[in-house]
């Protein structure tokens, strides 16, 4: 049988464990929050990986445009009915998965102003282009989504 003093010691050691674990978690969380806060992330230039995402995303869009019919048409096996599928367009724009290269790319666009070798005379033009991108992406996303239901509403 466990004596009263050993039970108290186990409770105290558990309490000490949770206090230490909680303190460690709090310090870790605070440090991580300070080091990766949105304010810090928003004032740093894009990383090489983020720039590469833009390049890959651009290539994916070019591929989609060059192969539009093939990439947006899905046919049933054995010569069955063919239908349009807008998922290819949404995927190319980074709207289908967090692993798509252009997923939330507007955050990377916002970091461009912190690049060292930026031409300040072209910055306004760049941000106008990013606004155009955001508008086109939102419109394309809406149209792609709505097009999935066209067969259910043939009159409009």
């Amino acid at each position: 049988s466990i004596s009263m003093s050993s039970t108290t010691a186990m409770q105290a050691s558990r309490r000490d464990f949770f206090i230490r674990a909680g303190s460690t978690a709090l310090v870790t969380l605070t440090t991580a929050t300070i080091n990766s806060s949105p304010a810090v992330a928003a004032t740093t230039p894009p990383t090489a990986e983020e720039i590469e995402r833009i390049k890959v995303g651009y290539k994916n869009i070019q591929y989609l445009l060059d192969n539009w019919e093939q990439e947006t048409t899905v046919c049933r096996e054995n010569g069955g009915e063919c239908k349009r599928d807008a998922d290819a367009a949404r995927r190319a724009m980074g709207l289908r998965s967090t692993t798509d290269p252009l997923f939330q790319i507007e955050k990377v666009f916002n970091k461009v102003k912190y690049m060292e070798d930026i031409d300040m005379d072209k910055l306004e033009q760049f941000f106008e282009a990013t606004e155009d991108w955001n508008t086109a992406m939102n419109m394309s996303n809406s149209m792609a989504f709505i097009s999935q239901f066209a067969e259910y509403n043939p009159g409009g």
Side-chain angles (χ1 to χ4, degrees), residues 86 90 93 95 135-149:
R90 296 182 72 224
M93 293 182 298
L95 299 169
T135 299
M137 187 180 64
N138 288 331
M139 184 178 289
S140 298
N141 187 33
S142 294
M143 293 169 78
F145 180 78
I146 291 167
S147 73
Q148 301 291 23
F149 302 102

Side-chain angles (χ1 to χ4, degrees), residues 74-120:
V74 177
C75 298
R76 292 186 180 176
E77 292 182 23
N78 302 324
E81 178 184 18
C82 295
K83 292 184 178 183
R84 289 292 190 178
D85 184 4
D87 268 354
R90 296 182 72 224
R91 190 172 22 266
M93 293 182 298
L95 299 169
R96 291 292 298 152
S97 169
T98 58
T99 60
D100 293 335
L102 296 179
F103 177 74
Q104 294 186 347
I105 204 67
E106 63 277 359
K107 291 179 180 180
V108 177
F109 291 158
N110 286 332
K111 295 167 111 183
V112 167
K113 61 187 165 199
Y114 299 106
M115 293 175 72
E116 288 182 20
D117 56 348
I118 192 80
D119 182 350
M120 296 308 268

